[in-house]
Amino acid sequence: MSRIFVRERTRIGKGDKKPRFALVAAEGVDLDIFTMHVRKSELDALAAAIGAELVFLPRGEKMVEAEAAPEPVKEESKPKKKKKK
């Protein structure tokens, strides 16, 4: 059975309107790839069409630590008061 190896892109989140996955490699199939960034639904359709298994590669230790760290809280900007003359 052929396999397609993919990983999640680091700077793209779930709410963004950009492809979230990057193709890394393909094994056991003659496959021409014309774009490197794809959506999950596109990956599923591609794998089903060629009978391949999708393999999601794990993230590195630094990325896992960065995701576990709390994000800094952004302070809401308050409108400045006008000085009276």
Side-chain angles (χ1 to χ4, degrees), residues 7-13 20-21 56-67:
R7 67 169 172 79
E8 274 193 81
R9 293 173 62 191
T10 56
R11 295 188 177 123
I12 304 297
R20 207 171 104 213
F21 296 94
F56 293 94
L57 299 173
R59 291 182 171 215
E61 291 179 16
K62 290 183 181 180
M63 289 305 299
V64 173
E65 290 172 6
E67 287 178 349

Side-chain angles (χ1 to χ4, degrees), residues 10-73:
T10 56
R11 295 188 177 123
I12 304 297
K14 289 185 180 182
D16 294 340
K17 302 233 180 213
K18 296 181 181 179
R20 207 171 104 213
F21 296 94
L23 293 171
V24 177
E27 174 191 44
V29 64
D30 184 22
L31 180 66
D32 291 331
I33 300 170
F34 298 106
T35 183
M36 296 311 293
H37 302 130
V38 294
R39 291 171 172 81
K40 176 74 164 89
S41 59
E42 295 167 343
L43 282 173
D44 292 336
L46 181 65
I50 62 174
E53 171 190 2
L54 288 175
V55 178
F56 293 94
L57 299 173
R59 291 182 171 215
E61 291 179 16
K62 290 183 181 180
M63 289 305 299
V64 173
E65 290 172 6
E67 287 178 349
E71 293 183 22
V73 178

Side-chain angles (χ1 to χ4, degrees), residues 1 3 37 45:
M1 181 177 200
R3 296 187 290 183
H37 302 130

